[in-house]
Amino acid sequence: MLDPQAQALMQLMVEKGVPPVNTMTPAEARASYRSRRTFTQPDAPEVFKVEDRVVSANGVNVPVRVYHPHAAQTEHALPGLVYIHGGGWTIGDLDTHDVLCRSLCLQAKVVVVSVDYRMGPEHKFPAAYDDTVAAFNWTVAHAKELGIDPARIAIGGDSAGGNLSAAACIGLRDQKGLSVQPVFQLLIYPATIMWPDTASYHANGKGYMLTKESIAYYTENYLRNREDAKDWRASPQLASSHAGLPPAFVMTAGFDPLRDEGLMYADALSQAGVPAQYICFERQIHGFITMGRVMQEANTAVALCAQVLQAQLHNSPR
């Protein structure tokens, strides 16, 4: 059964006249997504410090926002989380995921580095992937000044951000001469294969906000062509090996077209010997974790993610 609060949210979207994303230009879709925060997201919690920085790599400047919890007042370096926002590689920014990043920062007691990577259609694949890897490497290089323990840095994200996080872990594993890898990956309803043909894609591709049409819209904005879908940087499920990757926590939603992709990826990690936890919020829709003002299970999901991060990062060896 669909969560009644999720059903009420979808009705609220109709009442507010929010059109399907695939009927809008990218600029319109971004503005619509930003405006949605006012009636779906909780108030932003206060953290100890927030600072905007810029990652310069490969001739590109990538804005990041760094969140320090109250525990940052201590003299000890804290674990870090490089967070990659969702939005179909087309919409979303530092502000749309500000509340979520603040919440994870406070509840998990970690320094969060939120990444405003380049998006399509202006910047095609693999720009977003490249920016994700660059942001992780920048965080490692600047760990001391950020108050982060470089041996305890996780990476994570929701939806497209989960896709980029999973792909970045593969690329960082294979990057020659790199001494620091993510120690954990937090994957929230991740897209793991482009142009999917799963049961959940067909069963949930209509009527639950994220539709087959909107998935096509996002994918076409991001990829240069169909061949890009075969690249593991776009479809991490297709990587030749998932061995040696960081332990993972994979969360999905029952009424999400991407549900089966998340489960498939968790299974692929487990089959490769990588510790992977998997949980599905069976009554929820795609995108629910940022909707805590109108859906209580969103707040439960955030708290669960924070609990997992705290257990993984604070209990790991320094």
Side-chain angles (χ1 to χ4, degrees), residues 59-82:
V60 175
N61 291 328
V62 180
V64 297
R65 183 170 294 166
V66 185
Y67 300 83
H68 301 265
H70 295 302
Q73 297 173 69
T74 67
E75 61 185 15
H76 300 294
L78 291 170
L81 169 66
V82 177

Side-chain angles (χ1 to χ4, degrees), residues 67 107 121 180 196 318:
Y67 300 83
Q107 295 182 37
V180 177
R318 294 189 179 185

Side-chain angles (χ1 to χ4, degrees), residues 204-261:
N204 301 326
K206 183 177 182 180
Y208 302 110
M209 288 183 61
L210 183 65
T211 64
K212 290 182 178 181
E213 291 78 14
S214 57
I215 290 172
Y217 170 85
Y218 290 134
T219 304
E220 289 165 0
N221 279 336
Y222 180 47
L223 300 184
R224 296 166 298 187
N225 50 56
R226 287 267 180 163
E227 284 299 305
D228 281 343
K230 302 175 183 178
D231 191 314
W232 59 262
R233 293 173 297 174
S235 299
Q237 184 73 36
L238 302 182
S240 59
S241 172
H242 295 97
L245 293 173
F249 178 69
V250 183
M251 176 186 292
T252 62
F255 288 87
D256 183 354
L258 306 188
R259 181 196 65 210
D260 292 354
E261 297 177 44

Side-chain angles (χ1 to χ4, degrees), residues 144-201:
K144 184 175 181 180
E145 67 182 88
L146 296 173
I148 294 175
D149 178 355
R152 293 185 292 162
I153 304 177
I155 190 169
D158 58 297
S159 193
N163 165 277
L164 293 167
S165 298
C169 286
I170 297 169
L172 290 163
R173 176 197 63 186
D174 299 339
Q175 189 170 319
K176 294 180 180 179
L178 188 66
S179 59
V180 177
Q181 307 284 332
V183 298
F184 190 70
Q185 48 184 326
L186 174 68
L187 309 179
I188 302 170
Y189 33 77
T192 64
I193 187 166
M194 297 293 182
W195 303 112
D197 185 23
T198 62
S200 65
Y201 171 77

Side-chain angles (χ1 to χ4, degrees), residues 26 49 69-71 95 121-122 125 136 156 191 195 211 242 292:
K49 182 172 65 173
H70 295 302
D95 292 334
E122 297 88 349
F125 171 86
F136 180 84
W195 303 112
T211 64
H242 295 97

Side-chain angles (χ1 to χ4, degrees), residues 129-140:
Y129 167 84
D130 291 340
D131 291 353
T132 300
V133 172
F136 180 84
N137 288 333
W138 178 89
T139 301
V140 171

Side-chain angles (χ1 to χ4, degrees), residues 256-314:
D256 183 354
L258 306 188
R259 181 196 65 210
D260 292 354
E261 297 177 44
L263 177 57
M264 288 165 55
Y265 200 70
D267 285 346
L269 292 173
S270 295
Q271 290 166 6
V274 175
Q277 302 175 65
Y278 173 81
I279 189 168
C280 179
F281 279 73
E282 292 287 354
R283 305 198 308 162
Q284 284 305 336
I285 59 174
H286 188 83
F288 80 99
I289 202 167
T290 56
M291 300 175 183
R293 184 180 292 276
V294 292
M295 286 193 283
Q296 184 55 44
E297 280 194 358
N299 301 317
T300 302
V302 173
L304 178 59
C305 289
Q307 183 181 23
V308 170
L309 285 170
Q310 187 168 18
Q312 291 287 330
L313 299 178
H314 287 275

